[in-house]
């Protein structure tokens, strides 16, 4: 079960960062691997149970997962994506910094199913590369958030 963790900081306040990231529909702006991410039901407010259909590109192929917001706490979000091949558990924790900035720790855990499970050891380098790309794109997106 490969796990990658990355940490980024931004001058934006914690409530602004958390609000932005809890709406997973924003993922195409901050997740380098995401192609599209649309709410399953656009009329449902963002809260625990909210779902999005996410199309991501990994190793040159597109895959679709249904992501669900499973934890929505003041300093922690947990969004889990599932399809028949993989479960992607994304956990974000937020720490406010003196002066109003925020540090985001992002951990993604991948559990492969079926045939893909046998290939897990070979996926680790590509997942680390994907995490590096996501760290850069997340950092870039968070820098654009309002600081007040």
């Amino acid at each position: 079960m490969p796990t990658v963790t990355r940490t980024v900081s931004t001058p934006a306040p914690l409530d602004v960062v958390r609000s932005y990231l809890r709406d997973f529909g924003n993922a195409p702006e901050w997740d380098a691997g995401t192609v599209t991410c649309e709410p399953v039901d656009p009329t449902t407010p963002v809260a625990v149970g909210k779902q999005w259909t996410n199309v991501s590109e990994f190793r040159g192929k597109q895959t679709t997962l249904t992501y669900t917001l499973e934890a929505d706490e003041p300093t922690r979000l947990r969004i889990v994506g599932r399809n028949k091949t993989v479960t992607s558990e994304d956990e974000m924790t937020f720490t406010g910094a003196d002066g109003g900035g925020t540090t985001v720790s992002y951990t993604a855990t991948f559990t492969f199913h079926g045939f893909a499970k046998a290939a897990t050891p070979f996926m680790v380098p590509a997942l680390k590369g994907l995490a590096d790309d996501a760290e850069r794109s997340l950092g870039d997106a968070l820098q654009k958030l309002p600081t007040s």
Side-chain angles (χ1 to χ4, degrees):
M1 180 165 43
T3 299
V4 292
T5 300
R6 299 293 186 269
T7 302
V8 297
S9 295
T10 175
L14 191 148
D15 61 330
V16 170
V17 172
R18 183 182 166 281
S19 179
Y20 175 71
L21 292 175
R22 74 189 282 267
D23 182 352
F24 203 58
N26 293 323
E29 298 173 11
W30 61 262
D31 181 15
T34 296
V35 177
T36 63
C37 192
E38 301 293 332
V40 171
D41 178 358
T43 64
T44 302
V46 176
V48 170
K50 176 80 173 181
Q51 293 187 316
W52 295 265
T53 300
N54 179 287
V55 178
S56 295
E57 188 169 310
F58 180 66
R59 298 179 66 177
K61 295 183 180 178
Q62 289 191 355
T63 186
T64 301
L65 290 92
T66 299
Y67 274 85
T68 304
L69 180 60
E70 292 191 353
D72 185 10
E73 301 167 6
T75 59
R76 178 179 159 264
L77 298 173
R78 178 179 163 83
I79 302 171
V80 180
R82 295 177 176 88
N83 68 17
K84 65 180 182 172
T85 306
V86 66
T87 299
S88 175
E89 302 173 46
D90 299 350
E91 182 143 341
M92 294 173 253
T93 57
F94 310 100
T95 306
D98 292 336
T102 306
T103 299
V104 178
S105 179
Y106 185 96
T107 300
T109 303
F110 302 91
T111 305
F112 293 96
H113 313 291
F115 177 73
K117 186 173 186 174
T120 298
F122 304 104
M123 303 262 201
V124 172
L127 291 171
K128 288 183 179 179
L130 181 65
D132 291 342
D133 292 344
E135 178 182 16
R136 282 189 290 279
S137 58
L138 176 60
D140 291 346
L142 294 182
Q143 295 304 314
K144 295 175 185 173
L145 294 178
T147 58
S148 58

